[in-house]
Structure formats: C-alpha cells, structure tokens
Amino acid sequence: MSFGRQKVKMFSTMTSSLLGSLKKGERYEIYTKVKEVPVKTILQLNWIDKSTGLVGFDWGNCTRKGAFQPGSNAYIKLSEETFLKSKVISNKQELVLEPTEECEKPEFLKRRAVRVEVDPLNPVKVKLKVGDKEYQTEAKDISETGVGIVVRRDTQEGQEILNLLEKKENELIDLDLELPKYGHVHSKGRVGNKEIHDNEVYIRFGFELDMTEEHKAKVRRYVLERQQEIIKSLSLL
C-alpha cells in the first residue's frame, strides 16, 4: 500500500472513531469562547459526512451565531468530562464543524470565576511593583481572581520584567489597577501561569492578599459589565 493510501486509511479510521460518538437527530451542548467569555448553545445534529469528516447542526432559534466564527474552536459535549474539540468551518445556514480530537473539559469551562478580555479602547492599567522596581502596563484580561498581562521578550523593559519575575517566582507582587469607570484597585498577587507565543509572554497573576471588599466589588462590577458588553456584541456579528 502506498504512503498516500495509508494516510487516507488512517484519516478514515480516525474520522470514523470521532464521528462514531455522535448521533444524527440528537441535541448537543456546544461551547466556544469570545474574548474569554464562555458561550453555550444547544443544537440538533442534522447530518454527518464521514467522507469529509464534517458535521452540520441546525441553528434553530440560536441568537449567538456570531460567537462561532470560521477558524475558531468549538467543543461538543459528549459527557461531563469528555468533549469533541472541533474547528468551525461555517456559521451561515448551519453550524458546520470538523471534529479534530476527543478531549477533556476545556480549561475555560473549569475556571472558578468569569474572565473577560479587556477593551483595548478602554484599557485597564496595571502597575507592577517587583522589589524596588515599578512597571506600567495594561491588562490583557481580568477576573475576580486575577489579572493577565502580555510582556514582549524583544524589548528591554519586557526582558527586565521577565528576569525579575523569574527571580521572585514565589514571592507576592504588588499590583495596582486602574479600572475604567470604577477607579483604583490594589492587591498582592503571585504568578499563576505563563504562556509563550513567539515574542510575547502572557503572565497571569492570581489575587491573593490585601484586596479590600470595596476593591473586590469594583472588580466584580467591571467584569460583569464587560461580560454584558461582549455578549451584546455577538448579536452584531
């Protein structure tokens, strides 16, 4: 058997395995995220095409079609802990997905608190105090439990921040935030996780100490308002 035929056979076997867990006519919960906000819809499976590996769902009365943009990821729920990670192919007359792999519950569905991506036109300003150094930046996202920033590795200041945080990996960092409309918030935080994307490093700080109830309420109100803005914007897509 030629290599090309082997690849086709492997693709066919893998596709059949993935699609075998779906049943035409059944209704499925399907999840995606928009600017870090989880979006859920429940749709009926109209068709399964094993030759292409694609499946099609009836939109019904769904009002959040705009959340499922072509090229983005969507997750079909099979059980409480098992999902089919899929690529959105089309969101026009039907939601057409290409299941790519079986996976556990996506990380964004496991979060303890709602996370929202910050509006770049109305930034959340962040001041980090690391040792005797202070750095000004802007938040990438925020929730009631923490804030994320992006640092560039190809800048002097970005490299400084990364080096200092690496030396003080387990220490508490002073965080001062300026929220649009709600003003100043202070907390101490610790680096929770880091993700590297080319020259950009995403750093997530978990809020741990020194945040007053008043400041917690400010963050809560900001997140709720921003979440509503994002959801409202879906109807315009």
Side-chain angles (χ1 to χ4, degrees), residues 16-232:
S16 296
S17 175
L18 290 175
L19 301 185
S21 55
L22 298 173
K23 293 182 180 179
K24 182 180 173 182
E26 292 285 327
R27 292 172 64 81
Y28 292 90
E29 293 179 16
I30 305 174
Y31 295 83
T32 189
K33 65 175 179 175
V34 178
K35 298 178 181 177
E36 296 302 325
V37 175
V39 177
K40 169 188 170 182
T41 189
I42 301 176
L43 303 177
Q44 180 176 299
L45 180 58
N46 271 356
W47 52 266
I48 299 172
D49 187 339
K50 292 186 177 180
S51 65
T52 61
L54 303 181
V55 295
F57 291 85
D58 184 357
W59 277 123
N61 296 319
C62 179
T63 59
R64 296 181 177 176
K65 300 177 185 179
F68 296 86
Q69 290 295 305
S72 64
N73 289 326
Y75 297 82
I76 305 169
K77 183 178 178 181
L78 301 178
S79 69
E80 284 304 316
E81 296 301 328
T82 308
F83 290 71
L84 273 185
K85 183 178 180 180
S86 308
K87 182 179 178 181
V88 178
I89 302 301
S90 174
N91 66 350
K92 300 300 182 185
Q93 287 80 13
E94 299 175 299
L95 176 61
V96 180
L97 302 179
E98 180 184 13
T100 56
E101 63 177 318
E102 195 172 283
C103 65
E104 63 179 24
K105 181 182 289 188
E107 182 272 336
F108 68 90
L109 295 180
K110 297 179 181 179
R111 294 171 183 163
R112 292 185 292 121
V114 174
R115 187 183 302 182
V116 294
E117 198 170 288
V118 171
D119 181 354
L121 298 179
N122 292 290
V124 171
K125 296 182 180 179
V126 181
K127 181 168 73 175
L128 306 174
K129 188 174 181 183
V130 188
D132 58 352
K133 299 273 189 178
E134 288 188 357
Y135 298 95
Q136 299 279 353
T137 185
E138 293 179 357
K140 169 71 173 172
D141 56 54
I142 186 171
S143 71
E144 290 183 49
T145 57
V147 64
I149 66 170
V150 173
V151 173
R152 291 198 61 87
R153 294 193 293 175
D154 56 354
T155 66
Q156 182 177 341
E157 182 177 84
Q159 200 57 58
E160 262 187 43
I161 293 172
L162 292 171
N163 289 340
L164 279 170
L165 289 178
E166 191 171 339
K167 291 176 184 175
K168 301 179 180 292
E169 189 172 1
N170 297 312
E171 294 184 22
L172 289 169
I173 307 296
D174 272 298
L175 300 167
D176 284 286
L177 282 62
E178 198 67 31
L179 303 174
K181 186 176 175 180
Y182 297 109
H184 177 253
V185 167
H186 173 78
S187 179
K188 287 185 182 293
R190 205 184 302 271
V191 175
N193 68 295
K194 290 189 285 189
E195 298 173 9
I196 299 174
H197 305 280
D198 297 324
N199 279 321
E200 293 185 339
V201 182
Y202 171 81
I203 305 170
R204 178 79 181 171
F205 295 93
F207 297 141
E208 294 202 11
L209 295 171
D210 288 0
M211 186 179 281
T212 65
E213 289 303 318
E214 179 189 358
H215 285 188
K216 288 178 183 177
K218 286 183 180 182
V219 174
R220 191 178 304 119
R221 288 197 296 270
Y222 171 82
V223 170
L224 177 60
E225 191 173 286
R226 179 65 181 140
Q227 180 187 22
Q228 291 170 340
E229 286 177 4
I230 292 168
I231 291 172
K232 186 177 179 180

